[in-house]
């Protein structure tokens, strides 16, 4: 039996990867997780220049999840290339760099800078709900999604993954627009926009007022959106949103995802990715699937 999966011609040793923003650039978790066992490490968002992010407080715990409004704080692509990429290059795993920006030109600058680096795929974040300008404007408009995807595809030397927002009326319209623009892979879902109020202090829990809701609370929504998207496009999908167990991961595969990303679970269990990988492997053997591909989209009506 094989755990390998293929994303736009890039073979991963297994379908389990990390969700951007929850795993740093890998070094932060390397004491707890053997990175070489992962299908891929997806880095925190990288911009063309350093971003300070949002003011604090910017994380709040919620029932079955968390809200974050980090604001894509990052040191910029030059520091990333000098500090983080050399470490990742030493790991026996695929490297996926998440790219963020406020304008099309911002994205293109990072994409061009990474063209000759040891990066396997680029994940383009057009869907962060707690950045006041930039990606979110692209991610909610089909025409904008198609246009920015096409512009990035013209410049990128690596396959591109377009990361989609769930904060839209019809996820399939956004997915089809990204595919029409030339996306090689889709990843979904990003966080849902939420809010929490401290009733004793009578103030917002987050300085940004709103933030991205993640964790188990959003998983049923994410599974539904992955299923709908798999019916609407022909390119591979990376499913994410509330995955905290192997059962969750298998749900996404059965719904139509080729691979999965583990996010919030990393915060309370640094070894979550490996446990999920081992669970998928055991499930695959128990059900007699020769490959992960045989699982993808296997769900049927009763």
């Amino acid at each position: 039996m094989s755990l390998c999966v293929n994303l736009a011609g890039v073979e991963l040793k297994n379908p389990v990867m990390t969700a951007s923003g929850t795993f740093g650039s890998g070094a932060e978790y390397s004491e707890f997780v053997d990175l070489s066992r992962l299908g891929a490490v997806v880095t925190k968002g990288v911009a063309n220049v350093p971003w300070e992010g949002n003011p604090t407080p910017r994380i709040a715990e919620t029932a079955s999840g968390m809200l974050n409004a980090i604001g894509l704080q990052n040191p910029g692509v030059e520091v990333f290339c000098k500090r983080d990429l050399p470490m990742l290059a030493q790991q026996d795993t695929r490297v996926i760099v998440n790219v963020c920006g406020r304008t099309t030109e911002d994205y293109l600058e990072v994409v061009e800078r990474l063209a000759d680096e040891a990066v396997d795929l680029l994940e383009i974040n057009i869907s962060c709900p707690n950045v006041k300008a930039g990606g979110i404007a692209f991610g909610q408009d089909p025409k904008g999604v198609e246009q920015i995807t096409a512009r990035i595809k013209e410049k990128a030397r690596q396959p591109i993954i377009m990361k989609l927002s769930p904060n839209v009326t019809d996820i399939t319209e956004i997915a089809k627009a990204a595919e029409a623009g030339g996306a090689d892979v889709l990843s979904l879902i990003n966080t849902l926009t939420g809010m929490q109020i401290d009733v004793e202090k009578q103030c917002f829990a987050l300085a940004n007022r709103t933030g991205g809701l993640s964790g188990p609370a959003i998983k049923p929504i994410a599974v539904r959106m992955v299923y709908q998207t798999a019916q609407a496009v022909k390119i591979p999908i990376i499913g994410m949103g509330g995955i905290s167990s192997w059962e969750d991961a298998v749900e996404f595969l059965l719904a139509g995802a080729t691979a999965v990303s583990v996010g919030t679970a990393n915060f309370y269990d640094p070894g979550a990715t490996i446990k999920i990988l081992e669970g998928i492997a055991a499930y695959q053997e128990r059900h007699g699937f020769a490959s992960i591909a045989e699982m993808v989209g296997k769900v049927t009506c009763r």
Side-chain angles (χ1 to χ4, degrees):
M1 292 187 295
S2 172
L3 283 165
C4 295
V5 298
N6 190 289
L7 295 176
V10 178
E11 185 171 282
L12 280 60
K13 64 179 67 176
N14 64 68
V16 179
M17 61 186 73
T18 57
S20 175
T22 67
F23 209 73
S25 290
E28 297 87 337
Y29 278 81
S30 59
E31 294 182 22
F32 309 100
V33 179
D34 180 358
L35 302 184
S36 69
R37 295 189 64 187
L38 299 176
V41 170
V42 183
T43 71
K44 183 171 173 52
V46 178
N48 59 331
V49 294
W51 287 14
E52 292 184 359
N54 291 325
T56 59
R58 51 190 191 179
I59 292 180
E61 187 174 358
T62 66
S64 297
M66 63 177 283
L67 284 168
N68 93 83
I70 304 300
L72 295 172
Q73 177 181 337
N74 74 94
V77 69
E78 292 302 330
V79 171
F80 172 78
C81 287
K82 293 175 182 177
R83 184 190 67 188
D84 299 325
L85 276 183
M87 182 281 300
L88 288 170
Q90 297 175 12
Q91 312 302 318
D92 182 22
T93 188
R94 295 296 189 180
V95 176
I96 302 175
V97 176
N98 182 279
V99 178
C100 55
R102 294 186 174 94
T103 67
T104 300
E105 288 68 30
D106 289 348
Y107 285 100
L108 294 177
E109 190 173 328
V110 179
V111 167
E112 290 181 291
R113 175 63 182 85
L114 294 172
D116 296 320
E117 298 289 347
V119 174
D120 296 294
L121 298 106
L122 302 175
E123 182 181 59
I124 312 301
N125 185 358
I126 57 167
S127 59
C128 188
N130 52 65
V131 177
K132 290 183 172 62
I136 191 62
F138 295 111
Q140 291 182 330
D141 173 51
K143 290 183 179 179
V145 169
E146 182 174 352
Q147 290 170 357
I148 192 171
T149 302
R151 291 286 305 278
I152 290 171
K153 186 62 180 173
E154 288 176 358
K155 300 292 184 181
R157 292 193 183 179
Q158 298 93 341
I160 63 168
I161 305 163
M162 299 305 288
K163 188 168 187 176
L164 306 187
S165 170
N167 301 301
V168 295
T169 303
D170 185 352
I171 191 67
T172 64
E173 291 302 309
I174 303 296
K176 287 187 286 188
E179 183 179 41
D184 299 291
V185 182
L186 301 176
S187 63
L188 63 150
I189 63 174
N190 207 332
T191 55
L192 289 153
T193 304
M195 178 183 286
Q196 183 165 280
I197 295 172
D198 185 319
V199 296
E200 295 300 329
K201 296 180 180 179
Q202 299 170 23
C203 65
F204 296 105
L206 299 175
N208 196 61
R209 299 191 180 185
T210 62
L213 178 65
S214 63
I218 74 168
K219 192 201 77 180
I221 297 170
V223 172
R224 184 262 297 177
M225 288 192 170
V226 166
Y227 174 77
Q228 289 178 316
T229 300
Q231 307 307 304
V233 301
K234 296 180 180 179
I235 54 179
I237 296 167
I238 301 168
M240 65 190 75
I243 297 175
S244 59
S245 68
W246 68 262
E247 292 95 337
D248 295 338
V250 170
E251 272 194 72
F252 278 89
L253 295 173
L254 295 175
T258 294
V260 295
S261 285
V262 180
T264 301
N266 292 310
F267 293 137
Y268 59 83
D269 181 4
T273 48
I274 303 304
K275 294 175 183 176
I276 289 167
L277 171 59
E278 291 172 346
I280 293 172
Y283 176 88
Q284 181 183 5
E285 182 174 3
R286 190 165 67 252
H287 287 268
F289 290 111
S291 67
I292 296 296
E294 290 185 5
M295 285 190 220
V296 176
K298 186 72 173 179
V299 66
T300 60
C301 295
R302 292 184 182 276

